[in-house]
Amino acid sequence: MPDESTKRPRVAVIMGEEHWRAQFTPELRRRLGEAANLTAPVQVNSLSDPALAGQLADIEFLITGWGAMPLSSDALDKMPRLRGLLHSAGSVRGLVTSDFWERGITVSTSADLNADPVAEFTLASIIMAGKKAPFLAAELRAEAAKDPRSAVGPGCMGNARRTIGIVGFSRIGRRVLHLVSQTLHETTCLVMDPFADRREVAEAGAHLVSMEEMLARADILTLHAPLLPSTRHMIGPRELALLSDGVTIINTARGALIDEEALEGELVSGRLSAILDVTEPEPLPPTSPLYGLTNVFITPHIAGALGTETQRMASAALDELERLSSDQPLERELTRQQYEVSA
Ligand SMILES: NC(=O)c1ccc[n+]([C@@H]2O[C@H](COP(=O)([O-])OP(=O)(O)OC[C@H]3O[C@@H](n4cnc5c(N)ncnc54)[C@H](O)[C@@H]3O)[C@@H](O)[C@H]2O)c1
Ligand SMILES: O=C(O)[C@H](O)COP(=O)(O)O
């Protein structure tokens, strides 16, 4: 009698072992085992792992994740039956190439679920920036004997009637807009994105504006564009100079969106403040003056999914596997066109 498992699609999991352990709980592994005829071992971090050598020809789907090594054309040549790649994290950049679409291999990503915690972190940052909380806390630490209220410097205070500039109507940018609109009172949201549809932005409750208009009007500027050749240093000395005194820049996207030298100048002078989850380089060198500034709050790239948040992404990749196996349409497919302008 044929083994039931051979009727299921052949699947390999390509990701770092620590992420496999953290994301694929026993319950998710049980689901995976029920949906797939798994390779042995189930998880490796590279398709060139010798343990997979004799098994590549049968593989139909790959579940990938953080810690996976790039998937080369050579490896794809050895997998003529490969139909889909289901990524249990966000960006597939650095992992897949245009080769995938050229070969008709479907790509799906859990990036929407990685976007949620970044948007939540950004909302929290906007609220804290409105009170200048991280900056006043740093001033208090530096000068503990001072009356805290005397530490209140120039720039916006309070979270009502503020203008928030959102760079990028991306997955995360859209979520930030939604959360801000739901949470803060009488807030004006401006969006800058050359690919966004004006009506869609308006329906989401914001105004699509030029970069210049956004910079002139924003009390808080928050960055959510992908890092592409066209967006590197999109915020340079000219753009920073257009911001009013006391504006806080929030960057949870990529450090290289901002010209770091120009940013450093504006922060050292105290004219602008910043909440930076990402920097260029990352981490900043120990000699960076930004570490010593009370108007700068730096976190070590923690806005995206961490710990318990990452299991939703694994579950979503399994949902996609189950859909593909039963010829249902995918919910998280990434087309080649989207890939060109994606994070
Ligand atoms: N800090 C973290 O832990 C963390 C986690 C996840 C993502 N990120 C970063 O957050 C950013 C947003 O991620 P995402 O998944 O929402 O991106 P995404 O893939 O949804 O972004 C694509 C969209 O960005 C917009 N865009 C493209 N070029 C633009 C430009 N020149 N100006 C403005 N907008 C432009 C377009 O609307 C495009 O559809 C990326 O830089 C990503 O790397 C950071
Ligand atoms: O900064 C990020 O993009 C995340 O922390 C990592 O997510 P990724 O899966 O998009 O690389």
Side-chain angles (χ1 to χ4, degrees):
M1 214 167 112
D3 177 358
E4 274 297 300
S5 68
T6 58
K7 294 185 192 160
R8 300 179 209 133
R10 189 81 161 146
V11 174
V13 177
I14 314 294
M15 62 194 297
E17 193 183 346
E18 71 276 30
H19 299 296
W20 163 246
R21 285 182 190 282
Q23 285 185 255
F24 284 80
T25 60
E27 168 57 16
L28 292 180
R29 288 185 201 193
R30 186 194 58 72
R31 263 181 68 196
L32 178 61
E34 283 176 4
N37 172 15
L38 294 163
T39 55
V42 176
Q43 167 273 332
V44 290
N45 71 354
S46 169
L47 279 174
S48 49
D49 190 305
L52 281 193
Q55 305 179 67
L56 293 177
D58 292 332
I59 292 174
E60 289 168 77
F61 299 115
L62 294 176
I63 290 185
T64 55
W66 287 322
M69 303 301 281
L71 309 172
S72 66
S73 308
D74 284 354
L76 294 187
D77 286 343
K78 295 180 185 140
M79 296 192 290
R81 299 186 63 198
L82 186 64
R83 290 196 279 146
L85 176 141
L86 314 170
H87 192 54
S88 66
S91 176
V92 294
R93 212 164 274 287
L95 184 64
V96 312
T97 57
S98 52
D99 234 16
F100 276 73
W101 290 277
E102 276 152 26
R103 293 170 189 243
I105 301 166
T106 302
V107 177
S108 158
T109 169
S110 299
D112 274 344
L113 298 172
N114 200 28
D116 290 333
V118 182
E120 291 157 9
F121 185 95
T122 304
L123 174 68
S125 299
I126 289 171
I127 293 171
M128 295 299 259
K131 300 279 187 185
K132 294 199 176 295
F135 316 132
L136 294 179
E139 288 196 16
L140 268 181
R141 269 199 308 277
E143 300 180 62
K146 246 178 139 184
D147 173 354
R149 272 170 302 183
S150 68
V152 177
C156 70
M157 284 296 289
N159 283 306
R161 297 197 310 280
R162 288 295 156 204
T163 298
I164 312 295
I166 299 172
V167 177
F169 197 49
S170 56
R171 287 188 176 90
I172 296 170
R174 287 165 193 251
R175 283 168 170 75
V176 168
L177 170 56
H178 176 74
L179 291 176
V180 166
S181 313
Q182 296 290 306
T183 312
L184 301 181
H185 301 283
E186 299 170 66
T187 301
T188 301
C189 288
L190 308 177
V191 167
M192 193 298 294
D193 185 332
F195 298 97
D197 177 71
R198 184 171 300 280
R199 207 170 55 184
E200 218 187 315
V201 172
E203 280 168 7
H207 310 278
L208 187 63
V209 297
S210 65
M211 179 69 100
E212 285 72 19
E213 181 175 350
M214 171 175 292
L215 296 169
R217 292 177 58 192
D219 294 309
I220 289 176
L221 185 74
T222 182
L223 305 187
H224 304 293
L227 179 60
L228 304 169
S230 57
T231 60
R232 180 173 291 277
H233 289 192
M234 68 193 297
I235 307 292
R238 189 184 80 88
E239 286 73 25
L240 292 170
L242 289 174
L243 289 166
S244 305
D245 292 358
V247 165
T248 298
I249 299 174
I250 298 172
N251 193 0
T252 59
R254 285 290 178 266
L257 295 180
I258 312 181
D259 178 330
E260 202 74 20
E261 201 182 317
L263 178 66
E264 188 179 296
E266 293 280 16
L267 295 175
V268 167
S269 77
R271 197 180 78 80
L272 303 176
S273 300
I275 294 180
L276 305 173
D277 188 50
V278 291
T279 55
E280 175 76 0
E282 194 172 303
L284 289 171
T287 52
S288 170
L290 299 197
Y291 288 123
L293 298 177
T294 54
N295 55 329
V296 181
F297 184 76
I298 304 172
T299 48
H301 204 137
I302 53 167
L306 289 181
T308 51
E309 293 160 341
T310 65
Q311 290 155 9
R312 296 173 68 215
M313 301 195 293
S315 179
L318 280 182
D319 292 343
E320 293 286 73
L321 175 65
E322 288 159 359
R323 288 184 192 107
L324 277 172
S325 308
S326 55
D327 292 323
Q328 302 293 311
L330 287 175
E331 286 190 4
R332 304 182 187 283
E333 184 170 357
L334 183 74
T335 64
R336 185 175 182 170
Q337 205 184 0
Q338 289 164 340
Y339 173 75
E340 304 292 344
V341 292
S342 284

